Amino acid sequence: MRVAILYWSGTGNTRRLVNVLLELMENFLCEFTVIEIKSKLDFNPLEYDVVIFGIPVYRFLPPKEVISFIEHNMDKFKYLRKLRSPKVPFKFGVTFCTYSGIHTGIKEAIPAVKYVSQFLEHFGYLVVDELYVLCRFNGWDEANINGKCGVIADLPDNRTISNFREDMQDWFMYFMEVFHGR
Ligand SMILES: Cc1cc2nc3c(=O)[nH]c(=O)nc-3n(C[C@H](O)[C@H](O)[C@H](O)COP(=O)(O)O)c2cc1C
């Protein structure tokens, strides 16, 4: 099972969750690569079996650099994509975002996660989960108190982190079973 952990982080919240994931991965004997997204970085999703894709939400979408990265690879590996995007067996994705939801709550995070999931699904991946992790808005104090999601100044807290860890652990146990029996 070849695993790619793709992520981008501007102020560290998303990176913090990637670190949780890396700690967790020590319990699973599998090959994995951590990739920090850059606009023009080549990434062929079909070189992996499992892709974990984490982003922050910026203006209800992924950050511009992530969008450029997706556009770049949609073009570069166009020859691997088929009409109707039939599912390729044994290709699984999990996408997640960190967001602050200060104006409309989770609604403003949904388009961003759907966007990155579509990148994987266009290559025939089955995206088995999409996780939304509420986090503080670093550098904007008022938003951490008076936004749509209330007081978020201390997020991610231990409970948030352990929920994330458990969700990811459940998925890795599932992936191990699927690939072990292959
Ligand atoms: C430029 C900018 C735009 C943002 N736009 C949104 C947004 O539209 N919706 C939202 O829920 N959070 C928004 N946020 C908050 C971030 O998504 C959130 O704090 C996230 O956890 C940051 O992750 P990072 O530290 O990995 O960059 C924005 C943050 C920045 C800096």
Side-chain angles (χ1 to χ4, degrees):
M1 173 169 92
R2 293 154 303 170
V3 181
I5 301 169
L6 275 179
Y7 80 98
W8 190 93
S9 182
T11 67
N13 292 343
T14 311
R15 175 71 216 191
R16 193 158 161 209
L17 294 185
V18 168
N19 289 343
V20 170
L21 197 50
L22 295 183
E23 271 171 43
L24 174 70
M25 302 277 297
E26 285 172 16
N27 305 326
F28 294 94
L29 293 175
C30 58
E31 222 182 281
F32 66 91
T33 316
V34 186
I35 301 165
E36 191 179 355
I37 289 174
K38 304 268 183 264
S39 318
K40 298 285 178 211
L41 186 73
D42 291 352
F43 177 79
N44 173 355
L46 296 180
E47 279 180 12
Y48 299 90
D49 304 307
V50 171
V51 177
I52 315 294
F53 198 147
I55 52 152
V57 174
Y58 275 21
R59 299 237 162 103
F60 25 98
L61 282 177
K64 287 202 171 78
E65 203 160 0
V66 177
I67 293 178
S68 303
F69 165 85
I70 288 176
E71 285 175 347
H72 171 76
N73 288 297
M74 288 292 285
D75 290 343
K76 172 113 192 169
F77 298 105
K78 193 177 175 176
Y79 66 97
L80 295 171
R81 297 193 278 112
K82 297 193 174 80
L83 279 178
R84 300 177 59 89
S85 300
K87 293 281 177 277
V88 179
F90 299 102
K91 300 289 174 192
F92 299 106
V94 176
T95 54
F96 73 91
C97 75
T98 65
Y99 74 106
S100 302
I102 59 175
H103 293 102
T104 61
I106 198 165
K107 281 184 177 177
E108 59 191 293
I110 290 171
V113 173
K114 295 293 176 195
Y115 192 102
V116 292
S117 291
Q118 278 312 298
F119 170 61
L120 297 177
E121 291 203 347
H122 274 64
F123 284 93
Y125 267 72
L126 181 63
V127 175
V128 293
D129 212 353
E130 295 174 330
L131 305 175
Y132 295 83
V133 185
L134 189 60
C135 287
R136 77 175 142 261
F137 197 128
N138 293 310
W140 189 2
D141 292 343
E142 207 206 331
N144 286 322
I145 298 167
N146 290 327
K148 176 83 171 169
C149 298
V151 179
I152 57 170
D154 295 332
L155 299 181
D157 57 9
N158 290 343
R159 187 164 171 206
T160 311
I161 298 267
S162 88
N163 282 341
F164 177 78
R165 184 187 293 111
E166 278 173 26
D167 284 343
M168 292 307 302
Q169 180 169 299
D170 289 346
W171 282 119
F172 272 95
M173 283 163 66
Y174 171 75
F175 298 143
M176 292 303 276
E177 265 182 51
V178 167
F179 287 97
H180 184 68
R182 206 172 157 184

